[in-house]
Amino acid sequence: QVQLVESGGGLVQAGGSLRLSCAASGRAFSIYFMGWFRQAPGKEREFVAVISRSGGSTFYADSVKGRFTMSRDNAKNTVYLQMNSLKPEDTAVYYCAADVSGRTDVSVKAGYRYDYWGQGTQVTVSS
């Protein structure tokens, strides 16, 4: 079992920044990819970013590329999402997710790939 706890959400004006954290506990050593997803009211959950086990590879949704940066501190079992130049359309509940299967036949952008999810943290960007 892996437990994930997000933090760092809040209210920020457009153009501002926030840093989200996701701390893993339990069998955190078994985690391969870690991902961030978000869900805005009335919309489906969407992929935001993903990072490899070593932290050496990251991949971002086009909508956040160049503005968001995902990083990973394996010593602390924590991943981060630095969000800069925030826009009102970034408003959503942000979830981190952990993949413990390491499977290669499913895209890292697919939510169903991930085995564990956090409870989510609200990010609200005002215009």
Side-chain angles (χ1 to χ4, degrees):
Q1 290 284 339
V2 174
Q3 294 79 42
L4 303 174
V5 178
E6 303 100 333
S7 60
L11 173 64
V12 64
Q13 288 188 331
S17 299
L18 282 174
R19 188 176 83 153
L20 305 183
S21 299
C22 174
S25 60
R27 297 175 61 85
F29 60 86
S30 64
I31 297 173
Y32 285 89
F33 289 97
M34 290 286 294
W36 284 100
F37 292 77
R38 67 186 182 186
Q39 187 167 21
K43 295 188 177 181
E44 292 188 353
R45 182 181 63 196
E46 65 173 354
F47 166 78
V48 176
V50 64
I51 193 166
S52 64
R53 186 169 193 167
S54 67
S57 296
T58 52
F59 183 71
Y60 300 93
D62 288 343
S63 59
V64 306
K65 199 174 297 182
R67 300 187 298 121
F68 290 11
T69 303
M70 188 172 184
S71 60
R72 182 169 185 166
D73 186 339
N74 284 335
K76 296 182 178 180
N77 293 325
T78 300
V79 296
Y80 305 95
L81 187 67
Q82 178 66 44
M83 306 185 295
N84 298 330
S85 302
L86 283 161
K87 304 175 181 179
E89 50 263 45
D90 294 318
T91 295
V93 177
Y94 284 70
Y95 300 90
C96 69
D99 158 47
V100 299
S101 68
R103 59 191 305 183
T104 58
D105 59 331
V106 177
S107 169
V108 293
K109 296 188 294 182
Y112 65 86
R113 174 198 180 98
Y114 295 85
D115 306 286
Y116 298 98
W117 293 81
Q119 83 288 350
T121 185
Q122 176 71 47
V123 171
T124 303
V125 185
S126 62
S127 57

